[in-house]
Amino acid sequence: MPATFELEVATPDRLLVREQVTEAEAPGRDGYLGILPDHAPLLTELAPGLLTYSTGGAKHSVVVGGGWMEVLPTGVRVLATVAENPNEIDLKRAQAALDRAERRLKESGEMDISRALAAAERARARVAAAAQFGR
Amino acid sequence: MPSLIDFRRRIRSVKNTQQITKAMKMVSAAKLRRAQEAVLAARPFANMLGEMLGNVARAAAGSDAAKELPLLQQRESIKNAVVIVVSADRGLAGAFNSNVNRGAQKFMQDQPGITFEVESIGKKGRDYFRRRGFTISGDHQNFSRKPVYVDVAAVAAKVSERYAKGEIDAVYVAYNEFKSVMTQKLQVEQILPVPLTESADTTEYIYEQPAEVLLASLLPRYVEVELWRSVLESTASEHAARMTAMDAASRNASDVIERVTLQMNRVRQASITREIIEVVSGASALK
């Protein structure tokens, strides 16, 4: 059994991660999923959240704003609609976005409730990541 | 016979033009590098998404829910279609704009049974097709300066919605693909209904969500990403084409300057010679 597998995280405008990793944990639509080498092929939608992975002892993380994950025999591919390194996140701005999203959620009519909900979810993930891993 | 002054004026004017073309070439070169990086960075996502879509579609094939998905439905006969023409906002880029405009026009004329509309990204495409009396269903500008994903996604959403409603039966995108700095290739691709590539790979997947559900969320994104990639390709091609065109123009200007300088010197020498002859013959007449 191989000790590592290749993890690729891509967004529409860049390839964020391409590394050999020993394990990864991804925010699946129906709950977090842990992936180890030789995982069975799998396809899932991702929810906004924190994608963490380990490379030989060191832990890293990436915030994803939803997307899809494909586990292949050759490696894992994450196609994220948005993704950021936690150290790129400005905690103040993220917090402001979260407050805004929550306020909107309280005020909003039914029409854009799903959008506001998604925005709040994304903002929460970013704040959590920035607080945990950021500068 | 033009006088010396005329030659000097002409040389000065060509030199001025050359300065402009040289500057434009430099600017394009700098922009090209950025645009090129953007294309290269966007390709992995687009390719992976295409493959993933193929895999999911294979799993969902045959299920009734998948056939219901509007973006996959093949219409029996295509009556109305949209061509998204990706051109530049500005000219002076060699054959760049006329390439994509003529290519798109030919594509439409080759299918006389279909009523086409043009959704234009870039001013030059809009101007071209408006002059020729095509229906312009939408006009988007200022994309190529710095392409923004949400702008492109909005265009994709618009055509997807019209397709789902049945207003149109197919959507194509015409753009210049960036092969290299010297070559850009015209591409006309179908983006709706989403063309599925049959993948040979037969891995059995575990689906966390039903394949139809995944498909329903992947398809709109796929249309967006394909269009996004076309816009990035076109942007890189535009700068490459402009750079090449401006390089050629600067070189032509050098040639013109050289030729005119030669002519000017001939005229100058002729007049000097004439003056000497006059002096000499005047002197000899006095003897």
Side-chain angles (χ1 to χ4, degrees):
Chain A
M1 183 174 128
T4 61
F5 59 93
E6 189 180 56
L7 174 72
E8 289 173 295
V9 180
T11 67
D13 49 16
R14 61 179 169 162
L15 189 65
L16 200 64
V17 178
R18 177 178 269 164
E19 269 185 281
Q20 289 294 325
V21 305
T22 52
E23 61 179 295
E25 199 183 48
R29 174 61 66 200
D30 307 321
Y32 271 81
L33 299 157
I35 313 283
L36 290 170
D38 262 346
H39 195 286
L42 175 140
L43 258 166
T44 184
E45 215 174 304
L46 295 182
L50 204 56
L51 172 83
T52 48
Y53 59 94
S54 316
T55 51
K59 265 200 162 219
H60 305 273
S61 74
V62 173
V63 184
V64 296
W68 300 270
M69 179 172 71
E70 189 177 25
V71 182
L72 296 161
T74 49
V76 173
R77 287 168 163 185
V78 173
L79 299 181
T81 50
V82 202
E84 284 170 302
N85 280 318
N87 55 18
E88 292 170 353
I89 297 176
D90 181 342
L91 182 55
K92 273 199 202 107
R93 268 192 57 197
Q95 187 66 52
L98 176 58
D99 294 344
R100 201 166 53 236
E102 279 175 344
R103 202 170 54 240
R104 203 168 291 156
L105 209 51
K106 278 189 203 122
E107 293 165 0
S108 69
E110 269 179 38
M111 204 181 76
D112 48 3
I113 206 147
S114 64
R115 265 186 62 195
L117 211 76
E121 221 181 324
R122 272 200 304 276
R124 213 166 287 139
R126 298 177 73 215
V127 170
Q132 195 182 343
F133 293 93
R135 290 161 290 183
Chain B
M1 196 79 187
S3 71
L4 279 177
I5 299 273
D6 294 334
F7 282 118
R8 289 227 177 84
R9 272 198 200 123
R10 173 125 174 81
I11 289 173
R12 206 180 315 137
S13 122
V14 175
K15 257 190 187 151
N16 281 339
T17 311
Q18 191 186 27
Q19 267 170 359
I20 294 169
T21 58
K22 264 189 184 158
M24 281 181 77
K25 183 192 152 194
M26 304 288 221
V27 171
S28 294
K31 284 185 180 164
L32 169 65
R33 216 183 37 232
R34 256 187 298 149
Q36 203 174 344
E37 277 163 17
V39 176
L40 295 182
R43 276 179 186 163
F45 187 87
N47 293 341
M48 287 187 214
L49 190 63
E51 283 172 31
M52 193 188 276
L53 193 65
N55 290 337
V56 180
R58 192 165 36 78
S63 89
D64 290 339
K67 283 192 196 110
E68 294 295 303
L69 290 171
L71 298 188
L72 273 185
Q73 274 170 17
Q74 303 273 350
R75 307 280 153 77
E76 275 157 32
S77 66
I78 297 176
K79 288 195 201 72
N80 302 299
V82 164
V83 177
I84 303 175
V85 179
V86 189
S87 64
D89 288 329
R90 294 188 295 165
L92 290 181
F96 177 82
N97 287 311
S98 60
N99 243 353
V100 63
N101 290 339
R102 269 203 237 120
Q105 191 181 9
K106 182 168 182 303
F107 177 79
M108 291 188 260
Q109 280 164 352
D110 285 350
Q111 300 173 81
I114 306 176
T115 315
F116 279 104
E117 285 170 30
V118 173
E119 184 87 17
S120 151
I121 296 180
K123 202 162 133 198
K124 290 286 165 184
R126 181 204 61 180
D127 292 350
Y128 182 92
F129 287 104
R130 196 166 55 184
R131 249 196 322 272
R132 282 161 184 76
F134 284 83
T135 317
I136 313 269
S137 63
D139 167 24
H140 312 273
Q141 289 177 28
N142 284 334
F143 275 20
S144 67
R145 187 164 304 161
K146 189 173 186 307
V148 179
Y149 189 81
V150 283
D151 294 346
V152 177
V155 180
K158 178 180 165 191
V159 291
S160 300
E161 198 191 317
R162 293 188 66 200
Y163 183 81
K165 275 195 210 152
E167 283 175 31
I168 45 178
D169 308 312
V171 177
Y172 305 90
V173 53
Y175 66 99
N176 278 305
E177 189 189 17
F178 181 77
K179 288 272 186 203
S180 72
V181 178
M182 295 307 292
T183 46
Q184 296 90 38
K185 193 162 164 272
L186 172 75
Q187 296 282 359
V188 184
E189 284 169 7
Q190 179 188 327
I191 57 171
L192 280 174
V194 174
L196 293 175
T197 41
E198 286 294 315
S199 65
D201 145 60
T202 51
T203 325
E204 286 298 319
Y205 288 92
I206 303 168
Y207 289 93
E208 287 280 303
Q209 290 86 25
E212 306 86 67
V213 174
L214 279 172
L215 211 49
S217 73
L218 278 169
L219 286 170
R221 179 63 59 162
Y222 180 77
V223 177
E224 275 174 32
V225 167
E226 278 302 293
L227 194 57
W228 171 241
R229 196 179 53 86
S230 317
V231 169
L232 291 181
E233 297 270 0
S234 172
T235 307
S237 301
E238 178 191 340
H239 294 310
R242 181 165 297 124
M243 196 179 89
T244 321
M246 287 303 114
D247 187 45
S250 307
R251 227 165 316 131
N252 281 346
S254 299
D255 289 351
V256 170
I257 290 173
E258 205 174 301
R259 214 181 50 235
V260 176
T261 312
L262 192 70
Q263 270 177 10
M264 182 183 78
N265 285 340
R266 274 206 200 114
V267 171
R268 192 168 53 89
Q269 273 196 330
S271 77
I272 291 170
T273 314
R274 203 170 51 239
E275 275 170 33
I276 292 176
I277 290 171
E278 275 165 17
V279 170
V280 171
S281 55
S284 64
L286 287 178
K287 272 184 194 161

